[in-house]
Amino acid sequence: MIDKIKNIIRRELEVSLSGHYGESINVVVEEPKSSNLGDISIPVFSIVKTVRKPMNEVADTVVEKIKGLEVSNLLKEINRVGGFINLTLDRLAFSKNVIDNYFVNGLAVEQVGEGKTIVIDYSSPNIAKPFSVGHLRSTIIGHSIGNILEKLGYQVVRINHLGDFGTQFGKIIYAYLNFGDKEKVDENPIEELVKLYVEFHELAKENPILEDKAREIFKELEQGNPEYQKLWEHFREVSLAEYMKVYEMLNVYFDSYNGEAFYNDKMQAVVDELKAKDLLKKDEGAMIVDLGNDMPPALIQKSDGSTLYITRDLAALFYRKKTYHFDEVLYVVGNEQKLHFEQLKAVVKKMGYDFYQDIHHINFGLVLQDGKKMSTRKGKIVKLEDVLVEASNLSLDYINEKNPCLINKEEIARKIGVSAIIFNDLKNYRTNDVEFDLQEMVNFVGQTGPYLQYTSVRISSVLEENNFTNSELMYGLLIQDHSFDLIKTIAQYEEILNKAKEEYSPSVLAKYLLNLASYFNSFYAKEKIMVDDLRERNTKLCLIYIIRNILDEGMNLLGMQVIRKM
Ligand code: ARG
């Protein structure tokens, strides 16, 4: 809300000063260099420069105009210090405004995304391969960005661009037909398919002819060989069923599971268009798009005619543009694919489409364990389900220690465990690496998911025991530092969501919620809520009710689960 006030002041001052001086004037509204100078600051220099009048005269005029603005009733002081005009909020009026606004509008925010569509491509694991910790990051970050965008009024299309195509399927099919075991695969699809893939490679080392056989199978698969097609479909289905277990645990969903294979018949059109636009160059039998000196060329077609990852991404991009008419498309994929997405953009630009500017690679860092990259080493697969289950078990240990009689504790432990993993990821700015320490992330104290859930539960239990109304509140109670910190933080909610969108980083919201929770906890330590004075009690209950609702909505936007008892 402070941002809103700043915007109103800027806009209205510009109109009134432009009218006054008879020329168009830009006003800058910023934060003062130090908080004891006030809450809002307006530098006068630039205005002086534009109107070429003495500083004193301009400053007086600006002060006069501010006094005439409607928002001036939220200001207590207007001070001129050198070339700046500093404004201090009237804490009483501001608190009243924030609280009253909540009881009229709830947590509704301006629908800045109205009429705009954003496609998000996230999760996107590779069929017949384990769901990696990188895919987990993509899933968590993408899902939360989607929620935040929806909150801001955007139409969001969530796409799981499955890696369900590529030469590896020739290998897997060969291995499956020659030394696979159907029952084992059905029982434990991903693990068994990975085993087959690894076995294939070991055999192919001694017998390179197998590589040719696999290529042959893949080619036939592409051309529609029904036996291979059926196997491929089966592998896709059983793999997807595995991933679904993870999605269900995380409460994640998609609008489309069109993976790479879906674009099989849509790539020729791209190749043709590149040809028609004279962008394709032959390079040792392969087809490339030259991207100048900044970047290596994009490899579009191999010498044997087969297409590549980027070819499928181009086809997918044009399909999405045509189907969803997106305003932006986001690819939530790790840092290691930076070049790929730069090339994708560059090719689209070369093709003459302006919408290359709306393509954003939402990159992210690694998951570390004890400071080292956490990976799925050969034969030792980190099974995501197991990790999620382990987190739930650790949470259950905690509950058994603290509140053993809690009803439904298994289910609650699951919610805590899963949310703990989500929050541990999202509290970091996405391009940073994330340390994966289960023990630490399920802790109820510290910068953790359970800490937020616990704060919300604490407030809920106070609210449950008391009725309250929002009439006749004592706003004067809210002007002391420890209360006004809360008021200001509540007022920031909308700006925070917009900032999270700007940076495409849920961490902005995650950190904000930690702040809000810690301000609440210090307020709660200082103030008695259950006082005899009814108006005072009401006021405090209203305040913590709003905080609880922001915490809950914020957690939901991050993809976490809200609980009422723990
Ligand atoms: N399947 C790919 C991988 O695991 C990620 C796909 C990302 N999306 C895309 N449109 N390229 O590396």
Side-chain angles (χ1 to χ4, degrees):
M1 185 139 8
I2 296 186
D3 252 21
K4 245 188 202 162
I5 294 173
K6 281 193 199 154
N7 278 333
I8 294 172
I9 292 179
R10 185 181 47 76
R11 255 196 332 258
E12 296 192 356
L13 262 187
E14 282 179 351
V15 172
S16 103
L17 288 172
S18 301
H20 182 87
Y21 288 110
E23 61 186 305
S24 148
I25 288 168
N26 286 326
V27 173
V28 176
V29 179
E30 52 189 36
E31 249 169 57
K33 303 270 170 296
S34 131
S35 67
N36 55 22
L37 289 171
D39 302 295
I40 296 171
S41 181
I42 301 167
V44 189
F45 312 102
S46 59
I47 307 174
V48 169
K49 238 180 166 176
T50 313
V51 301
R52 295 167 305 274
K53 291 258 157 60
M55 173 73 94
N56 278 340
E57 195 229 284
V58 175
D60 287 346
T61 310
V62 174
V63 170
E64 236 11 78
K65 294 293 176 198
I66 292 172
K67 283 185 182 157
L69 299 181
E70 212 179 299
V71 288
S72 69
N73 65 344
L74 295 179
L75 303 173
K76 195 169 107 208
E77 278 175 45
I78 305 177
N79 286 322
R80 184 176 152 205
V81 180
F84 292 88
I85 293 171
N86 297 325
L87 313 177
T88 307
L89 288 171
D90 180 323
R91 289 189 173 193
L92 186 67
F94 188 72
S95 300
K96 181 174 181 346
N97 191 287
V98 169
I99 302 280
D100 290 356
N101 179 54
Y102 177 84
F103 286 101
V104 176
N105 297 314
L107 295 177
V109 296
E110 196 185 330
Q111 299 294 283
V112 291
E114 186 148 11
K116 294 200 184 107
T117 298
I118 298 187
V119 166
I120 316 183
D121 176 322
Y122 63 104
S123 196
S124 310
N126 301 318
I127 295 297
K129 291 210 184 135
F131 193 103
S132 73
V133 285
H135 294 121
L136 178 65
R137 284 213 75 184
S138 171
T139 309
I140 290 173
I141 297 169
H143 179 68
S144 174
I145 292 178
N147 295 346
I148 293 168
L149 292 176
E150 273 167 7
K151 170 81 187 166
L152 292 170
Y154 292 90
Q155 168 94 28
V156 174
V157 184
R158 299 162 187 261
I159 300 183
N160 193 338
H161 187 77
L162 292 171
D164 54 4
F165 195 78
T167 44
Q168 80 267 23
F169 284 98
K171 298 174 186 173
I172 295 170
I173 290 173
Y174 178 87
Y176 182 80
L177 289 175
N178 288 283
F179 41 86
D181 179 334
K182 180 168 177 354
E183 251 159 58
K184 272 192 183 165
V185 170
D186 286 352
E187 215 167 279
N188 216 342
I190 294 181
E191 221 171 297
E192 287 303 318
L193 292 173
V194 170
K195 259 192 214 154
L196 287 176
Y197 188 69
V198 170
E199 248 174 85
F200 175 92
H201 274 277
E202 267 155 25
L203 289 177
K205 251 189 255 157
E206 269 138 50
N207 195 0
I209 202 116
L210 293 190
E211 295 279 358
D212 296 334
K213 291 213 159 133
R215 248 193 301 278
E216 192 56 36
I217 291 178
F218 180 64
K219 206 166 190 177
E220 281 185 43
L221 172 67
E222 269 190 296
Q223 288 160 354
N225 174 315
E227 187 196 359
Y228 298 157
Q229 193 81 30
K230 235 173 127 185
L231 279 176
W232 171 82
E233 256 163 44
H234 181 64
F235 295 155
R236 186 183 194 273
E237 208 170 287
V238 290
S239 301
L240 194 52
E242 290 274 287
Y243 306 144
M244 283 300 188
K245 288 189 209 158
V246 175
Y247 296 144
E248 253 158 55
M249 281 193 228
L250 292 171
N251 258 325
V252 166
Y253 52 89
F254 297 91
D255 299 305
S256 161
Y257 291 86
N258 285 339
E260 295 187 35
F262 179 77
Y263 301 101
N264 217 359
D265 60 357
K266 300 173 180 62
M267 281 181 292
Q268 192 54 47
V270 176
V271 175
D272 290 346
E273 186 175 339
L274 286 169
K275 242 182 232 155
K277 291 186 170 160
D278 208 16
L279 294 172
L280 271 192
K281 263 173 63 183
K282 251 215 163 79
D283 186 71
E284 294 175 14
M287 290 295 199
I288 60 165
V289 176
D290 185 22
L291 298 174
N293 295 330
D294 311 342
M295 251 178 266
L299 185 52
I300 301 291
Q301 203 164 43
K302 285 197 216 162
S303 50
D304 66 1
S306 60
T307 52
L308 291 118
Y309 184 49
I310 196 164
T311 327
R312 293 190 278 282
D313 253 329
L314 282 165
L317 183 64
F318 292 122
Y319 176 84
R320 290 169 187 176
K321 185 71 187 165
K322 199 175 75 207
T323 309
Y324 306 112
H325 311 284
F326 61 72
D327 295 277
E328 286 177 53
V329 57
L330 314 182
Y331 295 90
V332 188
V333 187
N335 286 333
E336 65 282 357
Q337 292 193 25
K338 191 163 178 277
L339 176 62
H340 169 75
F341 288 104
E342 277 171 4
Q343 290 177 316
L344 185 71
K345 255 176 116 151
V347 173
V348 175
K349 184 177 180 188
K350 279 209 135 184
M351 291 173 86
Y353 294 108
D354 270 348
F355 76 82
Y356 75 90
Q357 302 173 75
D358 311 321
I359 301 171
H360 303 293
H361 176 203
I362 310 304
N363 56 334
F364 54 80
L366 300 173
V367 180
L368 304 177
Q369 210 162 27
D370 304 322
K372 285 197 287 280
K373 182 175 173 180
M374 186 171 169
S375 64
T376 48
R377 271 178 296 140
K378 238 193 223 166
K380 203 184 152 222
I381 298 160
V382 186
K383 268 187 106 182
L384 239 111
E385 274 164 82
D386 296 348
V387 173
L388 293 172
V389 169
E390 203 181 325
S392 308
N393 289 342
L394 284 173
S395 307
L396 190 59
D397 292 347
Y398 244 100
I399 295 175
N400 280 332
E401 197 181 296
K402 297 235 154 111
N403 189 3
C405 304
L406 185 67
I407 305 168
N408 252 342
K409 57 185 177 183
E410 279 80 15
E411 193 193 324
I412 292 172
R414 245 189 329 269
K415 290 183 174 177
I416 297 173
V418 170
S419 299
I421 292 177
I422 293 175
F423 190 78
N424 182 65
D425 189 308
L426 296 182
K427 74 176 179 186
N428 300 288
Y429 182 66
R430 60 185 162 74
T431 58
N432 296 340
D433 296 340
V434 169
E435 185 64 45
F436 200 89
D437 179 342
L438 270 183
Q439 196 80 45
E440 193 189 297
M441 62 178 105
V442 299
N443 203 327
F444 284 25
V445 289
Q447 309 208 323
T448 65
Y451 169 68
L452 291 183
Q453 288 170 316
Y454 180 62
T455 305
S456 158
V457 166
R458 251 179 126 180
I459 302 178
S460 295
S461 65
V462 177
L463 294 172
E464 214 169 75
E465 286 160 23
N466 297 283
N467 292 322
F468 62 96
T469 80
N470 64 316
S471 56
E472 294 191 64
L473 300 182
M474 290 168 77
Y475 301 102
L477 281 176
L478 304 174
I479 65 174
Q480 284 175 314
D481 285 346
H482 63 271
S483 319
F484 197 64
D485 279 341
L486 277 169
I487 291 288
K488 277 210 286 200
T489 310
I490 292 172
Q492 266 182 334
Y493 184 54
E494 182 165 358
E495 292 159 50
I496 290 293
L497 295 175
N498 282 297
K499 198 161 163 235
K501 147 78 173 80
E502 247 160 63
E503 298 182 11
Y504 303 106
S505 186
S507 64
V508 175
L509 175 60
K511 289 197 184 109
Y512 165 85
L513 295 177
L514 281 176
N515 243 338
L516 184 63
S518 93
Y519 280 141
F520 163 77
N521 284 311
S522 52
F523 171 85
Y524 198 59
K526 285 199 184 91
E527 293 277 351
K528 195 167 166 225
I529 307 257
M530 300 313 304
V531 290
D532 291 335
D533 185 302
L534 220 64
R535 285 181 63 201
E536 184 178 341
R537 198 198 285 187
N538 261 329
T539 309
K540 289 175 174 171
L541 287 168
C542 280
L543 180 69
I544 67 171
Y545 169 73
I546 299 173
I547 294 164
R548 200 272 317 264
N549 292 350
I550 293 182
L551 283 174
D552 287 359
E553 184 176 280
M555 285 194 279
N556 276 328
L557 291 175
L558 294 179
M560 294 167 64
Q561 314 226 4
V562 167
I563 38 195
R564 282 284 169 261
K565 283 207 161 50
M566 70 196 266

